[in-house]
Amino acid sequence: MLTGRLGRLIDRERAIRNGLSPPLRGELKRLAQRARCLHHAIGASVTAAILLCGLIVAAFGGVFLGLRVAWVLALLLVAAMLAMVAALGLFLAEVRLASAHLPLEHDVGPA
């Protein structure tokens, strides 16, 4: 989902850059802000996934090797959830930036 949104954002920026579509007021700055949010959200999502993979490896390794890994598992899970919360927060920020260009009731003229 995040990469799809990033792709759409890149398509819009290219259309503006190639003169196929004029930018809205402040749109280029907002596109850059959205791209930063998406890049960070993707990074946080990947980090969460890697941490969860580490958690699974540590859990199985602990069982097979007879190690006490409860604290390691807890730390990996908390870190993964924090990364996912960060990713979701960044996604929300990007959606809010994207919706800032939508016409609101007071911006729409008579039909």
Side-chain angles (χ1 to χ4, degrees), residues 11-24 27-28:
D11 290 343
R12 176 65 182 146
E13 190 277 331
R14 283 182 183 157
I16 292 170
R17 186 172 10 112
N18 293 331
L20 301 173
S21 178
L24 299 172
E27 186 176 9
L28 290 173

Side-chain angles (χ1 to χ4, degrees), residues 56-76:
I56 293 167
V57 168
F60 277 99
V63 168
F64 289 131
L65 299 174
L67 302 174
R68 294 181 185 208
V69 293
W71 280 103
V72 173
L73 298 179
L75 290 175
L76 286 170

Side-chain angles (χ1 to χ4, degrees), residues 1-17 21 27-28 30-32 34-35 38-39 42 91 94 98 102:
M1 174 186 54
L2 295 172
T3 56
R5 292 183 70 82
L6 183 60
R8 298 280 311 254
L9 187 145
I10 291 169
D11 290 343
R12 176 65 182 146
E13 190 277 331
R14 283 182 183 157
I16 292 170
R17 186 172 10 112
S21 178
E27 186 176 9
L28 290 173
R30 194 169 309 270
L31 287 174
R34 288 179 60 198
L38 286 170
H39 280 284
I42 291 167
F91 172 64
E94 189 275 332
L102 296 175

